[in-house]
Amino acid sequence: MRLSLTYQGIPIWRHSRVLGWTAQIVSGIVVVAAVAFFIANLANAIDERDIPFGWSFLNREYSTPISEHLLPYQESDTFAYAFLVAAINTLMVSIVGVILATLLGIVVGAVQLSGNWVISRVATVYVEVFRNVPLLVQLFFWYILLLGLPRVSEGFVWLDSFYLSNSGLSLPAPRAQEMAVPWLLAVVVLIAISIGVRAWLARREERTGKPSYPLLGGVVVVVVGAIVAWFALGGEPFAISVPHPEGRFGRIVDGATLSTELTALLMGLIMYTAAFIAEIVRGGLQSVSKGQTEASRSLGLGTMETLRYITFPQALRVIVPPLISQYLNLTKNSSLALAIGYADLTSVAKTMTQTAPAVTIFLIIMLIYLSYSLTYSLIGNLYNRYIQFTGG
Amino acid sequence: MATADTWQPAPSLPAPRSERGWIGWARANLFANWLSGLVTVVTVPLIAWVLWRIVAWVFGTADWTLIASRPQQYLIGLYPTELAWRPLAGWLLVSILFGMAAAMWGGAARRIAIGYGAITLLLGILPYGMFHEGVVMPGWIRALIVANLLTMAVGYALGRSSHWGRPRTFVVGGIAIYVVLLVLLTGLPGMEQVPPRQWGGLMLNLILAVSGIFFAFPIGVLLALGRRSALPVVKILCVVFIEVFRGVPLITLLFMSQVLVPLALPENFPVDSVTRAAITITLFSAAYTAENIRGGLQGLHPGQAEAARALGLPGWQVTSLILLPQAIRNVIPAIVGQFIALFKDTSLVYIVGMLDILEMGRSIVQGNVQFADNGRELFIFVAVVFWIFTYTMSYVSRRVERHLGVGVR
Amino acid sequence: MDGQWNRARGLSFALALAFAALLGVGCATTGEPATVAPPTEDAAETEAAQAAPSPTESSRLNTVRERGRLVCASLNDTPGFGYLDDNGRNVGFDIDLCRAVAAAVLGDADAVDIRLITAAERGPVMQSGEVDLLVYVTTWTTSRDTSWGNFVQTMFYDGQGFMVPVSSGVTSAYELAGAAVCVNTGTTTELNMADFFRQNRMEYNPKTFEESQVAFEAYKSGACEVYTSDRSALTALRSSLENPEEHIILPETISEEPLGPMVPHGDEQWFDIVKAVMGILIYAEAYGIHSGNVDEVAVGDNVKAKRLLGTEGSFGQDELGLDQTVGQTVIKLVGNYGEIYDRNLGPETAIDLPRKGSRNALWANAPCSDCPKGGQIYSQPLR
């Protein structure tokens, strides 16, 4: 008898690579099958149940007003353009909200750690109240509160150019004229030049040791250049548009208007998100070892300087990742605008579904929201990498 | 001349009066420097004024008839009154868990259980007719509510016993109670059926949130593992799922579940709009949970997995017995945070026409012209109810965090 | 090791249980429509065996009788038409129409299951045939008639109007240029408004809200000068104001909104039954029969009234599969059209929608002494 000494190896069905591939193929097939199933049903529904579908509506006139828009908009504009207008509205809310919520959140977070008992308690109460109540409820609350302002005919007027009522706040705003584009281009060029000037002055200061005021130099280039361009272009690039009441209802037209709906939306989003950001900031500041503060104080830095140069840069590494997810949340939460009448992306899309295929509309707004989210994530990740490397 | 052995240190004096007691406290915490003093002087009257306005409004101007006249609708929505024993019985079971928790963990758990018991007792014995004439809470309902204290006692006894009072019993019992509760609310075959469409009020918010986190958790674990998988197909699928569900507002997803999903399903597919909404909320929450757990997994030292492999554990055991338990322990606070967010998000189910506590109130305001002016009262009431729950949860989370020593390395 | 094993097993068992529970709930939920849907062959056979009116009888009536409940899709946020009373019960004009059908078919006006749905769900719910009746302030339009189900009868004439504060001095909708208009999104109201302003080349500033509660808050506070909705809703909301006399509803009506119940496609007998019940409600009022005097009239000397109540002749009750005295049951349990109107929208209610002289008055009393009275509420004669 001979013993077989050849190594049999593990059975083929237990080989990890085989298992791995099987898992991949199976899950791939399942997902593809599921997607195919849904799409087939969808196609079926579109065919048989006369569910409208298609993209041709994008070139049709939307012919429904949008109450508020950052971009110019008329009812005769197309659906595609209306999407753009609504998407920009959401983007604007998102950007303004993110900036203000961050500022407020940092302040509240820092105040929570303040030595003054009263104000640190107030900050804590603020955080605990605002992050624990559904945003929808808060939005209703703010909106109803702002509606308590006097109506437009009895509103506050200041210098005949600032109007405040429960329809919103109107104030003078620059309005672009014919020469606006060339002037803005000139300013962009000037800024580029000024960066060069600043760098040159800074190098000179380093080389010669004489104070050369690089920052001041740069600013002077831009300001002087802009003024010269303003007059040189012949015709003012911007005129001031002053708001004024018009028509039998005394509605305020012209100027720039911050409507009640937008204000309530921003207030709600900012107060809500800032409560979360405050907690993140507090956690970040507390994560910096106490020895750092003590060392800094013993080197003679003041409280504010310690916070600014020692504590905060280190805390930033802990703060940034969760902060970005708060930015994402704020952007997505802005879709609650439809409850209080601000024309954001979701709200406009919902109106559109009455006259255009819902399937297509939802695909479009999903893509828009996804692109916002991914952009925020990308910027956040880049910044995160940057601070991790430089270490403040 | 004093020698070394006769020298006595002067007796230490008490701190000056200005550094002691409440004066000292005030000097340190309210008037440490001129800025702090200024802040105190400005804020204290401001707070007093705000508080005064709030009190004056709550007890003076506000008209709470909207709430006081129909407590039942805010609690269980339009669940049939004659079948109200079902949610009440489910509530009794849930109270067992509170009793057990109080016995097993003491401290914060006990405090929460006491608060919970107090609120329950209050709901049971409150003279509802006092707030609004004609509101009668039947005696048997009161009895069933107060009976929660008994089941809490039972739970407490169970928690004390060495046989039952173990975390495993608690978890398994909790899941069992949850299942029984759902079956009870729907109705067993042969009993009158109450479809989820008719569930409402605060009960609905709680059920949706608990179901959401409960199902989101296993799905989230799978997604997190899938995202870390070495298999590219699995990984891509998980990444796409997570990013899509995290990148789109829940409200948009809910709209789609109502408008788009029915079209993508065969006609007469047996999933109604409420179930679709619950599934949507669950998947949304699962994507977030997956990211939390992934964070926990990333925080583990690679040595853990290597050591487990060196001991000869197969891959799935390394994951399920070594890596996941540690990762989950590390992210419990994040998951509780997610749960709080989920609970707040349940107020969005109004989109599918479900009457959660907020929408219940809004439909009362809209349908009854006598309440058309009471929006403020409704929102304040709903805010307070939500706040009680979410604040309790975040309190628990903080205690757990401290208990587990998360973040202390 | 062992402990961990047990724990893992316990956990997976618990998870399996939970999933099973979800499935159970899902099935229980979804089991319900199945019972509502047209009955299976078994049920049809049983019916045939019982020799109910005739083997060719349609299934909807039998399904409802077998179930013992009438399932109506309705709403809960419109004052007067469908809302919740203090006890959480569904009440309103539309709910009463549902109750009248239940009284006719089951002999019990309370044997109704009200399924609350959103406006967007109306089409799908009717198409799937899950419910027996849709009573949801739904406007009768051709496309809905073709794709959703069959409209039975106009039971209420509505139209979109505008409300403004008296202080604005506006007396006509054509003076609304430049105004801010509060409106609900997601309904034809918004589109009608856009059409109206575009047609008349007037600039305006729309503020669209998801729910009327917030939209009306905005109007009350003066953030918009105009509130637009169906006239019935405007009247109801106006009466909820502190000083209703400070607001007027402008005379122009910018849309036609005939409202009425709707039945699913595919069952003509059921369609006819609901039509007959609506006829009973309307003619009972015309003949002066109300819940208080049914018994007297039934033995009185008015032939038409007696035919309606089933004490003399017939209007086809048998062929419809209804009791001979169905008229008596309906009027006794629910009341005639006028009673339903008064109970939900009349002067006694907070809404106080005037009926006399409006389109919702009866076309005529019978015997016709002063025809026409100018109203449009009319139905097929019962004979």
Side-chain angles (χ1 to χ4, degrees):
Chain A
M1 264 190 40
R2 285 179 59 197
L3 273 172
S4 169
L5 290 176
T6 43
Y7 173 59
Q8 297 288 312
I10 47 171
I12 186 134
W13 60 88
R14 289 193 55 192
H15 198 285
S16 70
R17 204 175 291 172
V18 174
L19 280 176
W21 276 105
T22 320
Q24 295 203 60
I25 292 170
V26 169
S27 57
I29 290 175
V30 168
V31 172
V32 168
V35 170
F37 173 73
F38 288 137
I39 291 181
N41 276 313
L42 202 58
N44 193 34
I46 290 164
D47 274 356
E48 287 182 6
R49 283 192 259 166
D50 282 337
I51 306 295
F53 181 78
W55 304 87
S56 57
F57 77 97
L58 284 173
N59 293 322
R60 234 165 54 203
E61 268 187 28
Y62 178 39
S63 67
T64 309
I66 296 178
S67 54
E68 235 172 296
H69 39 83
L70 211 57
L71 297 179
Y73 170 81
Q74 290 172 332
E75 288 181 35
S76 53
D77 287 323
T78 60
F79 272 85
Y81 186 72
F83 263 123
L84 180 68
V85 169
I88 295 292
N89 275 356
T90 288
L91 186 65
M92 186 267 290
V93 169
S94 163
I95 291 176
V96 174
V98 158
I99 293 171
L100 294 180
T102 309
L103 293 177
L104 181 61
I106 290 175
V107 169
V108 175
V111 165
Q112 271 190 290
L113 299 175
S114 133
N116 185 300
W117 185 83
V118 176
I119 195 167
S120 79
R121 285 295 102 175
V122 169
T124 307
V125 168
Y126 165 82
V127 169
E128 292 300 346
V129 167
F130 280 88
R131 70 175 187 159
N132 282 326
V133 172
L135 179 58
L136 186 63
V137 179
Q138 295 190 33
L139 288 176
F140 286 138
F141 183 79
W142 289 121
Y143 188 55
I144 291 185
L145 204 70
L146 287 177
L147 287 179
L149 287 168
R151 58 189 60 208
V152 69
S153 51
E154 298 149 7
F156 303 110
V157 185
W158 188 55
L159 293 180
D160 275 342
S161 40
F162 295 84
Y163 296 84
L164 177 67
S165 70
N166 65 7
S167 291
L169 170 71
S170 296
L171 57 173
R175 179 189 288 164
Q177 307 284 78
E178 225 173 303
M179 281 293 152
V181 177
W183 186 77
L184 284 175
L185 281 177
V187 170
V188 170
V189 171
L190 284 167
I191 289 174
I193 294 173
S194 82
I195 290 170
V197 168
R198 184 186 165 275
W200 176 69
L201 287 174
R203 231 176 305 130
R204 184 171 161 241
E205 189 175 72
E206 242 171 60
R207 212 175 44 237
T208 61
K210 283 185 209 155
S212 309
Y213 311 105
L215 191 64
L216 188 70
V219 171
V220 165
V221 168
V222 176
V223 171
V224 171
I227 294 172
V228 170
W230 183 287
F231 292 106
L233 283 169
E236 297 192 334
F238 288 97
I240 299 288
S241 150
V242 180
H244 54 91
E246 196 182 84
R248 69 182 302 155
F249 301 107
R251 288 271 144 203
I252 312 298
V253 294
D254 292 342
T257 299
L258 185 64
S259 77
T260 322
E261 291 79 24
L262 177 57
T263 316
L265 177 67
L266 282 173
M267 276 176 86
L269 286 172
I270 290 166
M271 303 284 269
Y272 182 73
T273 314
F276 286 92
I277 293 179
E279 278 300 278
I280 293 170
V281 168
R282 184 181 64 97
L285 292 177
Q286 281 177 333
S287 76
V288 177
S289 134
K290 210 168 168 143
Q292 295 282 329
T293 325
E294 284 162 1
S296 147
R297 297 304 296 269
S298 63
L299 284 173
L301 274 76
T303 319
M304 285 314 288
E305 286 167 314
T306 304
L307 196 64
R308 185 170 159 208
Y309 293 111
I310 308 295
T311 322
F312 206 70
Q314 298 189 55
L316 221 48
R317 288 183 212 163
V318 182
I319 290 174
V320 168
L323 197 61
I324 292 160
S325 78
Q326 285 308 320
Y327 292 171
L328 290 180
N329 286 345
L330 185 142
T331 310
K332 290 190 288 170
N333 285 336
S334 71
S335 61
L336 292 178
L338 83 167
I340 54 165
Y342 178 71
D344 83 317
L345 186 56
T346 305
S347 146
V348 170
K350 201 187 171 206
T351 306
M352 281 180 176
T353 54
Q354 290 188 60
T355 47
V359 179
T360 327
I361 288 172
F362 277 115
L363 283 178
I364 294 175
I365 65 170
M366 256 184 83
L367 286 177
I368 296 177
Y369 276 116
L370 273 179
S371 66
Y372 287 167
S373 296
L374 295 179
T375 312
Y376 268 121
S377 297
L378 193 71
I379 295 174
N381 287 340
L382 286 178
Y383 182 70
N384 201 20
R385 197 169 296 168
Y386 167 76
I387 55 171
Q388 302 292 0
F389 265 99
T390 59
Chain B
M1 262 203 128
T3 56
D5 52 314
T6 57
W7 183 81
Q8 292 287 325
S12 38
L13 295 168
R17 183 170 287 265
S18 63
E19 302 295 325
R20 273 185 294 147
W22 66 270
I23 299 177
W25 180 87
R27 273 177 63 113
N29 292 302
L30 300 181
F31 302 98
N33 50 42
W34 67 269
L35 185 66
S36 177
L38 186 70
V39 167
T40 308
V41 169
V42 173
T43 32
V44 168
L46 197 69
I47 295 169
W49 179 76
V50 170
L51 282 181
W52 167 244
R53 287 298 303 267
I54 292 176
V55 169
W57 183 79
V58 168
F59 295 102
T61 327
D63 175 9
W64 300 99
T65 319
L66 168 78
I67 319 285
S69 61
R70 29 186 99 183
Q72 185 189 335
Q73 292 178 39
Y74 289 95
L75 278 178
I76 58 171
L78 301 183
Y79 203 91
T81 311
E82 62 276 13
L83 297 177
W85 63 269
R86 293 193 197 167
L88 288 170
W91 189 3
L92 288 175
L93 292 177
V94 172
S95 291
I96 297 179
L97 291 179
F98 277 86
M100 269 182 93
M104 284 160 56
W105 290 293
R110 181 169 304 170
R111 246 165 288 158
I112 288 171
I114 291 172
Y116 169 83
I119 291 179
T120 310
L121 186 66
L122 196 70
L123 282 174
I125 60 175
L126 222 52
Y128 292 94
M130 190 180 85
F131 305 113
H132 185 74
E133 229 174 293
V135 179
V136 183
M137 180 73 79
W140 62 274
I141 291 188
R142 285 178 188 278
L144 277 176
I145 294 177
V146 176
N148 277 297
L149 298 180
L150 286 180
T151 54
M152 269 178 85
V154 171
Y156 193 81
L158 285 177
R160 293 303 288 270
S161 96
S162 56
H163 181 65
W164 295 100
R166 281 188 284 182
R168 199 199 305 165
T169 332
F170 184 79
V171 171
V172 174
I175 294 169
I177 285 176
Y178 167 71
V179 172
V180 171
L181 178 68
L182 288 189
V183 173
L184 195 63
L185 284 176
T186 320
L188 287 167
M191 288 158 72
E192 192 174 337
Q193 301 285 305
V194 184
R197 270 236 159 243
Q198 276 172 270
W199 305 359
L202 182 60
M203 179 181 81
L204 179 68
N205 293 95
L206 291 170
I207 288 178
L208 279 175
V210 173
S211 312
I213 206 73
F214 185 74
F215 291 108
F217 189 73
I219 301 173
V221 168
L222 290 180
L223 285 172
L225 294 176
R227 189 165 186 170
R228 282 168 56 88
S229 160
L231 310 172
V233 174
V234 176
K235 182 172 176 166
I236 289 171
L237 290 178
C238 291
V239 169
V240 168
F241 179 92
I242 292 174
E243 292 305 330
V244 166
F245 272 83
R246 270 165 43 99
V248 177
L250 179 55
I251 196 170
T252 313
L253 290 173
L254 282 170
F255 272 134
M256 283 177 40
S257 82
Q258 297 312 302
V259 179
L260 208 55
V261 175
L263 301 179
L265 293 172
E267 257 178 292
N268 300 324
F269 193 79
V271 173
D272 71 350
S273 63
V274 175
T275 318
R276 283 202 302 272
I279 292 174
T280 310
I281 291 181
T282 306
L283 293 181
F284 181 76
S285 182
Y288 276 84
T289 312
E291 285 300 272
N292 287 335
I293 290 175
R294 187 169 73 107
L297 286 170
Q298 276 175 344
L300 293 181
H301 195 280
Q304 294 286 336
E306 285 161 11
R309 284 195 168 280
L311 285 173
L313 288 181
W316 66 273
Q317 284 194 6
V318 175
T319 309
S320 64
L321 299 179
I322 307 294
L323 299 183
L324 272 182
Q326 299 188 57
I328 291 170
R329 194 194 78 142
N330 285 350
V331 295
I332 283 178
I335 290 175
V336 177
Q338 176 54 33
F339 183 67
I340 296 175
L342 183 67
F343 180 59
K344 286 182 291 176
D345 281 343
T346 56
S347 61
L348 300 182
V349 292
Y350 76 94
I351 288 165
V352 298
M354 286 167 90
L355 298 172
D356 79 308
I357 185 169
L358 176 61
E359 189 57 18
M360 190 76 236
R362 287 220 285 163
S363 87
I364 293 172
V365 172
Q366 285 185 35
N368 298 271
V369 288
Q370 70 269 32
F371 296 135
D373 254 337
N374 294 141
R376 276 174 203 77
E377 285 86 343
L378 173 71
F379 297 138
I380 297 281
F381 168 74
V382 174
V384 169
V385 171
F386 268 97
W387 187 84
I388 291 172
F389 281 91
T390 47
Y391 183 76
T392 312
M393 284 188 265
S394 65
Y395 174 73
V396 173
S397 161
R398 276 199 302 270
R399 300 303 297 228
V400 172
E401 202 174 334
R402 201 179 301 168
H403 180 71
L404 293 174
V406 175
V408 181
R409 290 268 148 72
Chain C
M1 199 63 202
D2 196 39
Q4 280 168 333
W5 265 106
N6 275 340
R7 198 175 306 162
R9 219 180 292 157
L11 194 67
S12 50
F13 171 70
L15 286 179
L17 250 186
F19 278 106
L22 181 78
L23 280 179
V25 172
C27 295
T29 323
T30 52
E32 195 223 15
T35 56
V36 183
T40 55
E41 283 184 30
D42 285 351
E45 274 166 22
T46 332
E47 285 308 318
Q50 284 172 355
S54 89
T56 53
E57 276 304 333
S58 141
S59 44
R60 177 74 63 183
L61 175 65
N62 292 331
T63 320
V64 173
R65 289 218 167 122
E66 241 168 60
R67 200 194 303 130
R69 316 280 291 177
L70 179 74
V71 182
C72 296
S74 192
L75 73 176
N76 65 336
D77 54 6
T78 304
F81 289 91
Y83 62 102
L84 301 170
D85 71 0
D86 271 354
N87 300 312
R89 258 187 284 275
N90 292 288
V91 287
F93 184 85
D94 274 350
I95 307 288
D96 275 347
L97 298 183
C98 171
R99 285 163 46 82
V101 176
V105 176
L106 301 166
D108 177 5
D110 292 325
V112 292
D113 282 337
I114 305 295
R115 258 191 72 183
L116 300 176
I117 58 172
T118 59
E121 285 177 291
R122 288 178 293 183
V125 160
M126 288 313 283
Q127 284 161 348
S128 70
E130 292 165 56
V131 299
D132 306 316
L133 196 62
L134 175 79
V135 277
Y136 199 112
V137 290
T138 306
T139 305
W140 185 347
T141 66
T142 316
S143 59
R144 286 172 178 177
D145 227 357
T146 14
S147 65
W148 289 7
N150 282 328
F151 270 92
V152 176
Q153 168 109 36
T154 303
M155 294 303 278
F156 191 90
Y157 288 92
D158 217 333
Q160 189 174 339
F162 297 97
M163 174 157 64
V164 294
V166 173
S167 58
S168 69
V170 175
T171 52
S172 153
Y174 298 100
E175 298 167 19
L176 290 177
V181 187
C182 280
V183 63
N184 278 16
T185 183
T187 61
T188 45
T189 316
E190 191 182 4
L191 304 178
N192 289 335
M193 170 191 75
D195 285 349
F196 174 78
F197 280 95
R198 203 146 43 99
Q199 181 87 45
N200 294 295
R201 295 176 203 291
M202 295 193 290
E203 288 281 315
Y204 72 117
N205 175 17
K207 296 193 183 209
T208 53
F209 299 85
E210 218 191 1
E211 293 204 10
S212 62
Q213 183 235 333
V214 189
F216 196 58
E217 287 277 354
Y219 171 75
K220 275 192 293 190
S221 71
C224 25
E225 290 85 15
V226 189
Y227 184 78
T228 180
S229 184
D230 285 349
R231 298 182 77 89
S232 63
L234 291 181
T235 316
L237 288 170
R238 180 172 174 266
S239 64
S240 78
L241 291 163
E242 242 170 88
N243 301 307
E245 64 284 355
E246 290 176 6
H247 299 262
I248 56 163
I249 297 171
L250 299 177
E252 289 81 3
T253 301
I254 64 166
S255 71
E256 288 300 316
E257 315 275 354
L259 313 179
M262 185 191 231
V263 294
H265 277 307
D267 189 332
E268 300 199 352
Q269 185 207 20
W270 182 248
F271 182 39
D272 290 340
I273 289 175
V274 179
K275 241 189 298 189
V277 175
M278 298 303 130
I280 291 173
L281 296 176
I282 291 170
Y283 275 98
E285 189 189 4
Y287 299 155
I289 316 170
H290 51 80
S291 51
N293 68 357
V294 185
D295 296 331
E296 296 155 39
V297 179
V299 295
D301 51 8
N302 184 334
V303 180
K304 283 181 174 177
K306 284 169 84 173
R307 186 183 302 128
L308 190 154
L309 296 176
T311 46
E312 189 178 317
S314 153
F315 60 88
Q317 296 99 316
D318 277 351
E319 289 82 347
L320 289 172
L322 298 172
D323 288 343
Q324 176 71 17
T325 54
V326 60
Q328 291 186 37
T329 322
V330 171
I331 303 305
K332 222 181 264 176
L333 295 178
V334 186
N336 65 30
Y337 182 91
E339 287 178 276
I340 293 177
Y341 188 102
D342 287 344
R343 188 185 310 146
N344 296 296
L345 309 165
E348 303 281 291
T349 66
I351 296 163
D352 188 13
L353 200 61
R355 178 159 178 236
K356 205 166 179 222
S358 82
R359 299 168 74 180
N360 293 310
L362 283 196
W363 175 75
N365 274 338
C368 191
S369 53
D370 54 347
C371 314
K373 295 182 73 180
Q376 285 178 307
I377 295 297
Y378 180 72
S379 88
Q380 78 285 9
L382 291 172
R383 61 175 306 134

